[in-house]
């Protein structure tokens, strides 16, 4: 347990201050490659696309990806601890660091900010297209800013707090299993013609594993809003979350998004275009002021504060469990 606590903390620090160098291979990219190859193989087996067969193959891809992820991460971690505990701590620290994505989320969203700061609308559209699934070619400045903020808010749960919770509970093995589920949902969990049945299992599993973490993330973000300074309103964050946390097709996505909208006093969501089709969405938050590109900075600051508070809470619980087990 004490090795896990050390690795858990230093892995968090590495992610927060270093982030993921793009020049180095990343396990999540390997998981993405495995998903793409398995999808291609399974869909290639179908002589005729039917609802029943696609649902079955959708379950198969989940089982194949999760079992492969568990086998590889378990082998790496246990092999390193067998060599020496210090080697195991280093390996677990690096694995934990690769599971979290706070710095990466900040870097990518700040690319949008910098383009808008330089009045480069085309560059901002390109930058935001790298972090959202919607069509971005026709977005104006306000909608670009909203898209970036929504991504930071939603991924505070999906990319930071949820993987942190699972890694705290089950180490990097459970953390990578969570990331595999999340990556599958982002790649095949769409409700379009291609993935409507094939991606059902991945999408439903992602909703399940994020149900509790997304709500924990929301309340941690509300707490961060109370202590984050004058840029945020904790009371409004709590109110908007209570009112708007279900205004999304996903049962989880509006949790942190509603908190962020309330904390900043802005209105998010609304209709968006996906694959050339307009998807009707309700608004989240109140339009108390116009959205500005500085809000991207504020959303990142709120995300970092939420991450720190969640990390310290997880450490406190882990240290408490370790102390209790030694009595």
């Amino acid at each position: 347990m004490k090795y896990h606590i050390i690795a858990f903390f230093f892995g968090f620090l590495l992610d927060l201050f270093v982030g993921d160098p793009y020049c180095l291979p990343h396990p999540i990219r390997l998981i993405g490659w495995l998903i793409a190859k398995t999808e291609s193989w399974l869909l290639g087996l179908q002589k005729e696309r039917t609802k029943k067969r696609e649902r079955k193959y959708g379950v198969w891809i989940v089982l194949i990806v999760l079992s492969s992820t568990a086998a590889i991460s378990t082998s790496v971690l246990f092999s390193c601890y067998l060599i020496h505990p210090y080697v195991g701590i280093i390996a677990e620290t690096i694995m934990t660091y690769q599971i979290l994505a706070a710095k990466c989320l900040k870097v990518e969203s700040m690319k949008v900010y910098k383009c808008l700061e330089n009045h480069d609308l085309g560059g901002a559209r390109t930058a935001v297209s790298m972090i959202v699934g919607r069509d971005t070619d026709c977005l104006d400045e306000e909608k670009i800013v909203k898209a970036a903020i929504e991504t930071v808010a939603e991924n505070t749960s999906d990319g930071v707090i949820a993987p942190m919770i699972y890694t705290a509970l089950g180490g990097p093995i459970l953390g990578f299993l969570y990331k595999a589920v999340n990556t599958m949902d982002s790649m095949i969990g769409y409700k379009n013609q291609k993935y409507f049945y094939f991606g059902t299992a991945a999408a439903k599993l992602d909703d399940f594993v994020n149900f509790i973490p997304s709500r924990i993330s929301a309340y941690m973000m509300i707490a961060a809003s109370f202590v984050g300074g004058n840029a945020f309103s904790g009371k409004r964050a709590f109110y908007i979350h209570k009112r708007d946390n279900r205004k999304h097709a996903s049962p989880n996505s509006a949790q942190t998004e509603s908190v962020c909208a309330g904390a900043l006093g802005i209105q998010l969501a609304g209709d968006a275009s996906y694959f050339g089709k307009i998807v009707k969405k309700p608004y989240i938050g109140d339009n108390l002021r116009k959205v500005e590109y500085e809000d991207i900075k504020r959303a990142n600051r709120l995300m970092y504060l939420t991450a720190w508070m969640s990390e310290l809470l997880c450490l406190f619980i882990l240290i408490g469990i370790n102390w209790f087990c030694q009595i």
Side-chain angles (χ1 to χ4, degrees):
M1 174 65 82
K2 65 181 180 180
Y3 297 153
H4 174 52
I5 293 171
I6 293 168
F8 182 71
F9 178 62
F10 283 102
F12 171 73
L13 291 182
L14 275 176
D15 172 62
L16 216 60
F17 296 109
V18 178
D20 299 318
Y22 293 105
C23 59
L24 297 178
H26 197 284
I28 306 305
R29 295 193 193 103
L30 178 61
I31 291 172
W33 174 86
L34 176 62
I35 293 167
K37 290 295 182 182
T38 307
E39 174 197 345
S40 179
W41 172 62
L42 289 172
L43 292 180
L45 293 177
Q46 297 189 65
K47 296 179 180 178
E48 180 184 354
R49 296 188 68 170
T50 65
K51 174 181 174 181
K52 183 178 180 181
R53 188 176 288 120
E54 288 199 14
R55 285 187 185 275
K56 181 179 74 172
Y57 287 161
V59 173
W60 282 18
I61 192 172
V62 168
L63 295 175
I64 291 168
V65 171
L66 291 186
S67 59
S68 301
T69 301
I72 295 171
S73 57
T74 301
S75 299
V76 170
L77 188 62
F78 277 84
S79 296
C80 290
Y81 270 112
L82 283 174
I83 294 170
H84 194 278
Y86 289 166
V87 177
I89 291 172
I90 293 171
E92 186 172 352
T93 298
I94 293 171
M95 293 171 80
T96 300
Y97 152 60
Q98 292 172 326
I99 288 166
L100 305 174
K103 181 63 181 289
C104 182
L105 180 59
K106 179 183 177 181
V107 168
E108 293 300 318
S109 59
M110 286 303 292
K111 288 178 182 178
V112 181
Y113 171 87
K114 288 171 184 175
C115 287
L116 292 175
E117 187 180 35
N118 294 323
H119 308 289
D120 181 6
L121 196 62
R125 288 185 182 127
T126 301
V128 82
S129 71
M130 304 304 291
I131 58 174
V132 300
R134 73 192 66 178
D135 301 330
T136 61
D137 292 343
C138 297
L139 295 184
D140 59 20
E141 180 174 326
E142 182 180 4
K143 289 182 179 178
I144 290 170
V145 173
K146 283 186 175 183
I149 294 170
E150 288 164 19
T151 297
V152 172
E154 184 176 344
N155 282 283
T156 298
S157 176
D158 292 357
V160 185
I161 310 304
M164 180 189 294
I165 291 170
Y166 280 109
T167 304
L169 289 173
I173 298 168
L174 191 57
F176 273 119
L177 283 173
Y178 169 81
K179 293 298 289 185
V181 172
N182 198 241
T183 305
M184 277 190 286
D185 180 61
S186 68
M187 290 178 68
I188 65 172
Y190 295 103
K191 291 183 177 179
N192 56 22
Q193 186 176 0
K194 183 177 181 181
Y195 294 120
F196 193 87
Y197 300 113
F198 182 73
T200 297
K204 293 292 184 184
L205 183 58
D206 185 74
D207 287 344
F208 176 76
V209 300
N210 276 301
F211 189 84
I212 294 175
S214 66
R215 284 148 181 81
I216 294 173
S217 301
Y219 282 104
M220 293 304 297
M221 188 180 279
I222 290 170
S225 301
F226 275 103
V227 300
N230 295 331
F232 312 110
S233 169
K235 289 183 179 179
R236 195 165 56 235
F238 178 79
Y239 169 73
I240 296 298
H241 171 260
K242 185 177 180 181
R243 190 191 73 186
D244 293 350
N245 73 81
R246 296 182 182 179
K247 289 185 176 181
H248 202 285
S250 163
N252 307 317
S253 295
Q255 296 294 324
T256 46
E257 194 174 323
S258 60
V259 175
C260 188
L264 294 174
I266 59 176
Q267 192 172 69
L268 298 174
D271 298 350
S273 175
Y274 294 86
F275 306 104
K277 181 181 178 182
I278 298 295
V279 176
K280 295 290 183 180
K281 293 183 178 182
Y283 286 106
I284 294 174
D286 292 329
N287 191 21
L288 301 180
R289 62 176 180 83
K290 187 177 180 181
V291 176
E292 57 186 19
Y293 63 79
E294 286 293 331
D295 288 319
I296 299 175
K297 258 188 179 179
R298 297 180 185 116
N300 276 301
R301 197 179 340 141
L302 187 61
M303 180 265 290
Y304 260 56
L305 185 55
T306 304
W308 265 112
M309 293 175 69
S310 301
E311 174 73 12
L312 293 175
L313 179 60
C314 287
L315 283 170
F316 177 78
I317 294 171
L318 288 174
I319 292 169
I321 292 171
N322 185 54
W323 175 81
F324 182 79
C325 292
Q326 290 179 349
I327 295 177

